[in-house]
Amino acid sequence: MPSASYAVQESSAVWRDERRSRDVPVRIYAPAGAIGHLPVVIFSHGIGEDRDSYTYFGRALAAAGFIVVHPTHAGTDKAILRRGYWKLYQATKNPENWRNRPFDVSFVIDQLSTRPDIDMNRIAVAGHSAGAFSAFAVAGARGPNGESALDERVRAIIAMSMPKIDGLSYEDIRVPALNMTGTCDSSLIYRTGPRDRRVPFEQAHAPNQYLVTIEGVNHNTFSNASDRHHELIVQLVIAFLRDRRWFDDPGVVVSGRDRLTIERK
């Protein structure tokens, strides 16, 4: 597994998407002193989080040489959570909030395309929960009415705890995808269990589709401010982005204190 090698520079900005009259706040993690065109990972947060969440992910990947951008998806972010769980639950029922998520990601890619240090041929999108939906949406997943937010600039995705979304089709997924979940990855509010997290992996027919299930991990493991599993999670992500041969031998793997199952197709 790869190890960190760079100090990390962190910055924040608010980018304005004039076409949608929408502000997209971002947190950027960059490897200090890295030269050349660098690979990019855009991280899409889950419901009730924002650009300042999942700091472990941004810092670890930037230390490994990636530029990592965490946008805030207004409408399903921490600002709504501060108004109460009922307001947040209502926000998840607004289709516009779901449509905006992949458009936020594509807008971030637009902004990054003007930077001289970006490798536009190495753009990945990662996300947790609703953020996993963002990743699948820009990778070509289609909604119940056939709508698509495909962004062909995205070359790989990492989906952590993908929610159950009725009518979503994975038939058009063509990029490598790493699905991540845990044996305790349930959501009572959204009536989603570990079995549901398997659906994207099972229904996508493209090559280089992977599913990693970590024993004992639950839905909040990926978003907790700190968790002993975070190191394993980022190591798996970096291995997937750099050299997928690590996943070529499916089965049960023991890594330190952790036990995980790897599936691929």
Side-chain angles (χ1 to χ4, degrees):
M1 290 274 188
S3 58
S5 59
Y6 293 97
V8 177
Q9 294 177 331
E10 302 182 26
S11 61
S12 296
V14 178
W15 294 338
R16 179 71 175 176
D17 185 348
E18 295 294 351
R19 287 178 296 181
R20 293 183 295 152
S21 301
R22 179 177 172 88
D23 287 335
V24 181
V26 296
R27 183 76 173 168
I28 303 171
Y29 302 85
I35 59 175
H37 296 91
L38 304 177
V40 175
V41 179
I42 299 165
F43 190 94
S44 177
H45 64 75
I47 300 297
E49 304 292 343
D50 60 16
R51 65 179 177 178
D52 294 319
S53 306
Y54 309 90
T55 55
Y56 76 92
F57 185 94
R59 289 170 180 165
L61 267 74
F66 296 82
I67 291 177
V68 189
V69 184
H70 292 220
T72 292
H73 300 293
T76 53
D77 61 323
K78 195 168 288 185
I80 304 298
L81 176 59
R82 294 190 188 102
R83 297 167 57 189
Y85 284 101
W86 177 242
K87 288 290 186 182
L88 186 64
Y89 181 78
Q90 289 178 310
T92 67
K93 300 303 180 181
N94 183 348
E96 191 66 21
N97 286 330
W98 292 91
R99 281 193 290 267
N100 270 319
R101 284 177 156 267
F103 294 146
D104 288 344
V105 172
S106 289
F107 172 70
V108 167
I109 297 174
D110 292 341
Q111 300 304 109
L112 293 174
S113 68
T114 65
R115 290 179 49 150
D117 58 345
I118 297 297
D119 186 343
M120 292 297 292
N121 292 314
R122 290 191 290 169
I123 294 178
V125 177
H128 172 234
S129 194
F133 162 78
S134 307
F136 272 114
V138 294
R142 290 186 177 273
N145 298 318
E147 64 272 20
S148 172
L150 173 66
D151 192 322
E152 294 184 348
R153 297 171 295 183
V154 176
R155 303 302 175 87
I157 62 170
I158 300 99
M160 305 172 183
S161 296
M162 176 66 182
K164 179 171 64 174
I165 300 178
D166 293 336
L168 197 65
S169 170
Y170 303 93
E171 295 289 330
D172 293 337
I173 301 296
R174 295 292 179 267
V175 299
L178 173 61
N179 295 273
M180 302 182 72
T181 185
T183 56
C184 302
D185 192 357
S186 299
S187 173
L188 295 177
I189 295 176
Y190 297 104
R191 300 178 182 177
T192 305
R195 183 68 184 80
D196 299 303
R197 313 293 184 191
R198 300 181 53 85
V199 170
F201 172 74
E202 292 174 345
Q203 294 188 0
H205 301 300
N208 300 311
Q209 304 296 300
Y210 304 87
L211 173 65
V212 174
T213 304
I214 307 172
E215 189 170 306
V217 161
N218 62 41
H219 193 66
N220 293 332
T221 298
F222 298 98
S223 58
N224 286 338
S226 62
D227 193 286
R228 75 169 187 85
H229 294 95
H230 286 173
E231 182 177 0
L232 173 63
I233 290 167
V234 296
Q235 285 179 337
L236 290 166
V237 170
I238 294 169
F240 169 73
L241 293 174
R242 282 189 171 163
D243 186 357
R244 288 188 290 275
R245 288 179 298 178
W246 192 87
F247 301 89
D248 280 349
D249 294 321
V252 176
V253 176
V254 177
S255 177
R257 297 162 59 189
D258 296 304
R259 182 182 175 91
L260 53 150
T261 303
I262 298 172
E263 299 174 66
R264 63 160 299 194
K265 62 181 185 180

